[in-house]
Amino acid sequence: MPDERSVKAFLELPLMPLREIVMFPRLVMPLFVGRAPSIKAVDLAQSKYKKMLILVPQRDANAETLQANDLRPIGVVSRMLQLLRLPDGTVKVLFEGLFRAQWQNLRDDAETCPVARIIRLTETSSKDDELPALVHAMHESLEEYGKINRRLPPETLLSMQSLQIPGLLADAVVPHLKADYLKKQEILELLDVRERLERTYKLLQGEIDMAFVEKRIKNRVKVQMERNQREYYLNEQIKAINKEMGKEEDPQADVTELEQKLKERNMPEDAREKGLEEVKKLRAMPPSAAEYTVVRNYIDWILDLPWNELKQIDINIDNARAILEGEHYGLEKPKERILEYLAVQKLSHCLKGQILCFVGPPGVGKTSLAKSVAKATVRDFVRLSLGGVRDEAEIRGHRRTYVGSMPGKILQSLKRVKFNNPLFCLDEIDKMSSDYRGDPASALLEVLDPEQNNTFMDHYLDLEYDLSKIFFITTANSLHSIPPPLLDRMEIIELSSYLETEKRHIARHFLLPRQIWEHGLKDRDIRISENAILEIIRSYTREAGVRNLEREIAALCRKTAIRLVEGDNLEKCHSISRSTLQSFLGVKKYRHEKRETSPQVGVCAGLAYNQRGGEILLVETSIMNGAGHVVTTGQLGEVMTESAKAALSYVRSRADLLGLDPRFYRKVDIHVHMPSGATPKDGPSAGITLATSITSALLGIPVRNDIAMTGEISLRGRVLPIGGLREKLLAARRSGIKRVIMPADNEKDLKEVPDEVLKDLELVFVDHVDEVLPKALDAEEHEIFSGRATVTPLWHSLRQGASTVKAHTAQ
C-alpha cells in the first residue's frame, strides 16, 4: 500500500483525463499518453508531486478541449511506476491505482496542465448476512467465467478467488470484464460495498450468459462450416501432396470449377440439379477411378450444350428473296414456298409448323438451297448426313452404361454450333436403313414432330432437351423409301430437274465464273460459246442437276490452264466452240435418241422421264407367224409390261373396226422391243405408244416420224394423265419432234412449262386412243407386209377424225 501521509501532503494533484478507460484502486495498468496536456500532467506529477496524479474519465470520449463539466466527478489517484518516452512523442506509463477520490476546483497550472484539489472517498459498509453468500457466489461465477474466458490468466483468477473482502473483490473483478466503460465508471462511483459487489456480480453473470449464447451460436456456425473447413483443409493437403509428387494440377480444383460453371450456366433447373449431383459423385471419386472419366465427360456435355443460348434471328423477306434469287436460278415454286414459310414465321414469331422436305434428283441444289435459307434468316447452318445410318443410337445416343458412349448426332451438332436455334439440314433422309440395332427413322419421329421435340430425350443425356427452336429442313431423292409416319410429319417441296435452258444459264453465270476463279484463270483467258455449253449438256452429261456439268467445265479450265502454261503466252485467249469441243473433252459420252428419218411400220416414238430428265423412247413391234405368243424385251418393268398387255387387249377389242381377223392373235407372235436394252424401263405412260406401235405393225401402216406421244391407257382405250410433262416436252423439242400427242387432262400442267420449251411444238390433246390413231398413222406411205395387214375402208374414215371411229364403235 502507498504511504497515505505522502498522499495527504498534497491537497492538489495534476489531473489527467481518460478516454473510454476506467482506472480502479489496486489495478496496475499501462497507458499510452499522447495529448499535450496529459503529457504535461505526467511531467508535472513526476517533477513536483512524487509521480502521483488523479485519473478521471471523460464524459465524451471524442472531446479534445475539456472543461470541468466534461469530466466525471470521481476518479482514482494513481502512482506512476514506470515511464517510457517513445520516438513518436507519446509516453508509455505504467500506473498503479491507489484510492477513489473526488476532485474540486479545477485550474490550470503554470505548466498549462489541469490541477485539481482532491478529496479521498471512504467506502461505506454495513453488516449484512447476505454479503458472505454474495462473495461465495462471486467466487463460483469467477470459476465458471475462467472456463469460458481463456484469455484470463490462471494466476489472476486464483488471486481474485482468494479475495474475501467484498470491496477489494469487486474492484479486482470489474477491470477484467468486457462491459462498457460507462457501466464500469458507475461501479467505480459506488461507495456502498454491498451494492458495488452486487452490481459487479450482475455484470459478471451477464457476461457468462452472453458467453453461453455466443458459444451456442458458434457451435451452430461451426456445424455449418465444419464440412467446408474440413474439405478446405483436405484439399490443401491434397494440393501439398500433389505438389510433392510433381502433379501441379489439382483434381479437386477442377471439380470446384465445374460446380461453379454449373451454377452460372444458363440452363434448365433440372439439368443444373442433375449436373450438381454428378459433381458430388465426382468429388468423392479418386481421379484414377474408371468411373471418374465417365462422370467427368457427362458433366462436360451438360456444360457444353447450348440449352438456352439463342442467336438473334432477323427475317427480312426482301433480303431473303434477294439471297434465293442470287444463289439459285429457276426453282420458282420451291423458292416461293420457302418465302411463304418465312413470312409466317415472322408474323407468328414461332417455328411450330410442318418440317420442310426438299425432294428432287441429285445435283438440283437441295442442300445449297437449305444453306441459302440459313443465310437469309441469319441462322447457323448445321448439316447431318443420314445416308447409310442404320442405328437408332446415331439419333438418340448410347446409354452411359456402354463404354465410349456419347450423345446422338443431333446434340453433337448443337454442341459444335453453340446455339440452340440453328437451321438443321437432315440430308439424305431417304437413305436410312434399319437392322437389329433399331430403326433411326422411328427415332426421327420425335425429332421432327413440333408437338414433341420440345422434350426430346437423348439416351446418353437422360434429360429433356428442347429442339423446338431449331429450323429443320430435310432432303431426299425419293419418297418411296421414307416411312409414311415420318413422311406425314414433313411438308414436301419438290425440286424438279433442270431444263437445258436453265442449265445453260447456270453454267454461264454460276459454274463458269466459279471454275475460272478456282483454277487461277481470268475471264479473258477462256471463252466458251453458247453452242459449246449446250453440246456439253447434251453429249457429255446426262443428269438432272449440274454436278457433272461443273466437272466438265472444270476440265475445260484445266485444259486451258495447261495450254496457257505450255504455250508460254499467258495473254492468249482460248476460245472453245462446238466444233473444237472434242479436242478438249474427247469423244462424246452420251447420245440422245433421235426421231426416225422416215415413217416406219411398227416404230412409234414415246416420251419417257426419269431423274436425269426426259428422253425419246422408241417402241418397236414386229409381227411373225406363230401361235399367239407375246414377247416384251428391253428390260421392261412390271408396270410397263402390264401396259403392253393392256394395249394389246385394246387392239383386239378394235379388231373388227381395224379390219383384222378377230382371231388374228392366234396365228401370229407379237414381239415388242424398246432399244437401249441395258437401261431398265418402267412406268405406265407408254400405253398409247405401245397401242399405236402394235396397231401399225398389225395393219402395216407406218407411224409418222415427226410425232411423239405419251399417255397411260386403260382397257377401254381411255388416255390417262402422266407426269414429267416439262421434261418430256423438252426431250421432244431436242429430238426434232414437231407434234406431241398427250392426255387432255395434262393441258392444265402447261402453265409450269416455260414458253421456250413450247416453241415450235404442236400439242394435240386426246381423251381416247381412237383419237390417237388417225393423227399418228400415215396411210399414204404405208406398205403391206406379206398380205397380213390390209387397209380397210374403215381406215380412211379413221383418218378423217375420231368422231367417225366413235360412231362405228357405237354401232
Side-chain angles (χ1 to χ4, degrees):
M1 290 291 295
D3 186 0
E4 295 186 5
R5 290 179 298 174
S6 63
V7 176
K8 293 179 180 178
F10 302 101
L11 297 178
E12 293 181 335
L13 288 176
L15 186 147
M16 190 178 83
L18 299 179
R19 287 179 173 176
E20 299 182 349
I21 298 175
V22 179
M23 191 68 178
F24 279 86
R26 296 173 185 81
L27 175 65
V28 177
M29 181 172 59
L31 295 175
F32 288 91
V33 182
R35 288 185 288 184
S38 299
I39 294 176
K40 290 179 180 179
V42 170
D43 293 339
L44 183 62
Q46 186 176 18
S47 60
K48 295 183 180 182
Y49 295 97
K50 295 185 179 181
K51 300 183 180 180
M52 288 188 293
L53 73 170
I54 183 169
L55 302 178
V56 181
Q58 298 178 192
R59 294 182 184 275
D60 184 5
N62 297 321
E64 292 291 339
T65 304
L66 301 176
Q67 302 295 328
N69 295 333
D70 298 328
L71 300 173
R72 303 290 295 191
I74 296 176
V76 175
V77 174
S78 303
R79 174 182 297 169
M80 296 186 297
L81 300 180
Q82 291 181 2
L83 186 146
L84 177 64
R85 299 185 184 276
L86 301 177
D88 60 354
T90 60
V91 180
K92 182 179 180 181
V93 183
L94 183 64
F95 290 101
E96 179 188 10
L98 300 178
F99 55 84
R100 289 174 176 80
Q102 183 178 2
W103 58 271
Q104 296 178 351
N105 302 329
L106 183 66
R107 65 179 181 80
D108 288 339
D109 188 77
E111 301 293 334
T112 66
C113 71
V115 176
R117 184 173 178 272
I118 62 169
I119 300 173
R120 181 171 180 170
L121 298 176
T122 304
E123 296 177 346
T124 60
S125 177
S126 59
K127 290 185 178 181
D128 191 340
D129 296 337
E130 295 181 356
L131 201 57
L134 188 59
V135 172
H136 180 70
M138 179 69 80
H139 288 163
E140 290 182 350
S141 297
L142 279 173
E143 184 177 0
E144 188 175 1
Y145 183 70
K147 296 177 181 179
I148 296 173
N149 189 359
R150 299 296 182 182
R151 296 182 180 180
L152 187 64
E155 56 273 13
T156 303
L157 181 63
L158 289 175
S159 65
M160 289 190 295
Q161 288 179 323
S162 63
L163 294 174
Q164 299 297 325
I165 301 175
L168 296 180
L169 179 60
D171 291 343
V173 171
V174 172
H176 296 284
L177 300 180
K178 298 178 182 179
D180 184 69
Y181 80 98
L182 294 177
K183 293 182 179 180
K184 292 182 179 181
Q185 179 65 26
E186 292 174 359
I187 293 176
L188 177 67
E189 294 176 359
L190 291 174
L191 300 180
D192 186 89
V193 174
R194 185 183 184 284
E195 185 179 1
R196 189 194 312 162
L197 185 61
E198 188 173 352
R199 288 283 295 274
T200 303
Y201 179 74
K202 288 181 180 180
L203 282 179
L204 178 61
Q205 198 63 41
E207 291 208 8
I208 292 173
D209 294 341
M210 183 64 70
F212 276 115
V213 172
E214 290 179 356
K215 185 177 181 180
R216 286 198 300 270
I217 294 173
K218 289 180 180 178
N219 287 338
R220 287 201 301 267
V221 174
K222 183 179 180 181
V223 170
Q224 294 173 0
M225 297 181 61
E226 185 177 11
R227 175 172 294 181
N228 293 336
Q229 291 177 347
R230 178 173 175 273
E231 291 179 354
Y232 175 77
Y233 292 137
L234 292 176
N235 288 336
E236 290 299 319
Q237 292 178 2
I238 291 174
K239 287 181 182 179
I241 293 172
N242 289 333
K243 190 173 182 180
E244 289 296 328
M245 296 177 65
K247 299 178 180 179
E248 295 296 332
E249 296 184 359
D250 182 13
Q252 292 300 323
D254 292 342
V255 175
T256 304
E257 184 180 357
L258 290 175
E259 184 177 13
Q260 187 65 26
K261 286 181 179 179
L262 283 169
K263 293 178 180 179
E264 297 174 355
R265 194 83 164 85
N266 184 13
M267 63 172 62
E269 286 303 320
D270 57 342
R272 193 191 320 277
E273 291 175 3
K274 181 68 173 178
L276 292 175
E277 289 178 4
E278 297 297 321
V279 166
K280 291 180 181 178
K281 295 179 184 178
L282 195 66
R283 199 184 295 276
M285 294 181 189
S288 58
E291 190 71 14
Y292 187 91
T293 304
V294 176
V295 177
R296 174 61 189 267
N297 289 339
Y298 180 75
I299 297 173
D300 287 339
W301 270 105
I302 293 179
L303 286 171
D304 291 340
L305 287 174
W307 296 89
N308 296 326
E309 301 296 331
L310 301 178
K311 190 174 184 179
Q312 186 67 33
I313 303 301
D314 181 22
I315 299 179
N316 186 310
I317 298 300
D318 293 334
N319 183 45
R321 187 186 300 274
I323 291 174
L324 293 176
E325 293 292 343
E327 296 184 356
H328 294 85
Y329 181 75
L331 307 177
E332 298 302 329
K333 288 186 67 176
K335 288 191 289 190
E336 192 62 31
R337 181 63 189 89
I338 290 170
L339 291 175
E340 293 171 1
Y341 190 87
L342 296 180
V344 172
Q345 285 189 17
K346 183 175 180 66
L347 293 176
S348 63
H349 303 287
C350 179
L351 267 177
K352 282 193 175 181
Q354 290 291 324
I355 308 298
L356 299 185
C357 179
F358 296 158
V359 179
V364 296
K366 299 182 295 295
T367 305
S368 62
L369 188 60
K371 287 183 180 179
S372 298
V373 175
K375 184 177 179 181
T377 56
V378 201
R379 293 176 183 267
D380 293 305
F381 179 77
V382 182
R383 176 183 170 272
L384 175 60
S385 178
L386 299 176
V389 173
R390 61 180 62 196
D391 188 356
E392 178 201 5
E394 294 290 328
I395 306 298
R396 290 185 178 274
H398 297 82
R399 301 189 185 278
R400 284 196 288 161
T401 54
Y402 297 103
V403 177
S405 58
M406 293 181 66
K409 297 292 186 181
I410 302 289
L411 296 188
Q412 289 184 36
S413 301
L414 290 177
K415 175 188 174 183
R416 289 194 299 270
V417 79
K418 293 183 173 51
F419 287 104
N420 201 31
N421 59 342
L423 188 146
F424 213 116
C425 178
L426 299 174
D427 216 0
E428 311 293 352
I429 197 172
D430 58 323
K431 295 178 179 58
M432 291 186 297
S433 57
S434 61
D435 59 9
Y436 65 93
R437 290 170 291 187
D439 184 6
S442 299
L444 282 177
L445 293 178
E446 181 184 8
V447 175
L448 299 181
D449 192 337
E451 301 298 330
Q452 300 180 23
N453 61 9
N454 60 334
T455 56
F456 172 71
M457 184 73 73
D458 186 273
H459 288 161
Y460 177 85
L461 203 62
D462 199 24
L463 291 168
E464 291 184 353
Y465 194 90
D466 187 3
L467 301 178
S468 62
K469 304 294 189 301
I470 300 174
F471 188 173
F472 284 104
I473 291 180
T474 65
T475 69
N477 296 128
S478 173
L479 300 178
H480 303 299
S481 57
I482 301 178
L486 183 58
L487 195 62
D488 183 61
R489 283 163 167 78
M490 301 183 293
E491 179 174 352
I492 307 303
I493 298 180
E494 293 188 2
L495 280 70
S496 56
S497 58
Y498 288 116
L499 300 175
E500 283 184 355
T501 54
E502 294 173 335
K503 290 182 180 180
R504 201 161 62 235
H505 185 278
I506 293 172
R508 175 64 66 186
H509 296 92
F510 292 90
L511 305 183
L512 182 58
R514 181 164 63 190
Q515 291 302 320
I516 288 176
W517 179 81
E518 289 183 358
H519 287 79
L521 301 175
K522 298 179 181 178
D523 292 339
R524 66 171 184 268
D525 296 334
I526 183 172
R527 185 173 299 164
I528 305 176
S529 67
E530 290 294 329
N531 289 333
I533 293 177
L534 185 60
E535 184 66 17
I536 295 173
I537 295 171
R538 290 182 175 178
S539 302
Y540 292 89
T541 63
R542 180 169 290 181
E543 58 179 345
V546 292
R547 286 178 181 159
N548 288 327
L549 177 58
E550 185 171 15
R551 293 189 185 101
E552 297 300 329
I553 293 176
L556 292 178
C557 292
R558 291 196 300 272
K559 300 291 185 181
T560 302
I562 195 169
R563 295 188 183 191
L564 285 172
V565 175
E566 288 179 348
D568 201 19
N569 184 4
L570 300 180
E571 302 298 327
K572 183 180 179 180
C573 177
H574 291 264
S575 297
I576 302 174
S577 63
R578 185 171 186 174
S579 59
T580 60
L581 192 60
Q582 288 196 17
S583 62
F584 286 85
L585 298 181
V587 297
K588 297 178 182 180
K589 299 178 181 178
Y590 304 100
R591 59 176 291 273
H592 291 280
E593 288 287 351
K594 295 186 178 296
R595 67 168 187 161
E596 294 292 330
T597 57
S598 61
Q600 300 289 328
V601 174
V603 179
C604 184
L607 296 174
Y609 163 72
N610 55 31
Q611 288 190 344
R612 295 176 298 183
E615 280 290 341
I616 287 286
L617 187 64
L618 295 179
V619 178
E620 301 174 349
T621 302
S622 178
I623 307 297
M624 302 160 288
N625 292 327
H629 298 293
V630 179
V631 180
T632 57
T633 55
Q635 278 211 49
L636 305 189
E638 183 178 352
V639 176
M640 188 168 283
T641 303
E642 291 176 353
S643 294
K645 293 178 181 179
L648 180 59
S649 296
Y650 162 76
V651 174
R652 288 177 57 188
S653 69
R654 291 293 190 269
D656 291 340
L657 298 177
L658 296 175
L660 296 173
D661 182 356
R663 293 177 293 180
F664 72 90
Y665 60 91
R666 296 181 179 179
K667 304 174 184 178
V668 295
D669 288 341
I670 302 174
H671 186 173
V672 179
H673 176 72
M674 294 186 184
S676 301
T679 305
K681 308 170 190 69
D682 204 359
S685 63
I688 63 173
T689 310
L690 290 164
T692 303
S693 176
I694 293 172
T695 303
S696 171
L698 289 171
L699 296 179
I701 302 175
V703 182
R704 293 178 56 176
N705 63 323
D706 61 347
I707 283 183
M709 60 188 70
T710 179
E712 183 179 353
I713 188 175
S714 70
L715 281 177
R716 294 177 295 167
R718 291 183 56 210
V719 180
L720 305 180
I722 46 83
L725 182 62
R726 189 179 68 157
E727 288 76 9
K728 290 179 178 180
L729 291 177
L730 178 62
R733 185 172 183 272
R734 180 180 60 224
S735 301
I737 299 296
K738 301 299 183 183
R739 179 185 292 183
V740 177
I741 300 175
M742 65 180 65
D745 288 342
N746 285 114
E747 186 174 2
K748 63 182 184 302
D749 299 328
L750 291 178
K751 296 179 181 179
E752 300 179 5
V753 181
D755 294 337
E756 187 176 355
V757 176
L758 298 177
K759 186 180 179 181
D760 301 329
L761 281 180
E762 179 186 351
L763 303 181
V764 179
F765 298 96
V766 295
D767 290 309
H768 201 277
V769 182
D770 293 347
E771 303 174 47
V772 176
L773 298 178
K775 296 177 174 60
L777 299 181
D778 190 349
E780 279 81 23
E781 298 183 9
H782 68 279
E783 292 182 1
I784 302 175
F785 282 45
S786 304
R788 294 194 311 252
T790 58
V791 179
T792 66
L794 177 61
W795 173 244
H796 296 288
S797 63
L798 288 175
R799 293 265 306 167
Q800 296 174 1
S803 59
T804 308
V805 177
K806 291 179 181 177
H808 283 281
T809 303
Q811 296 172 2

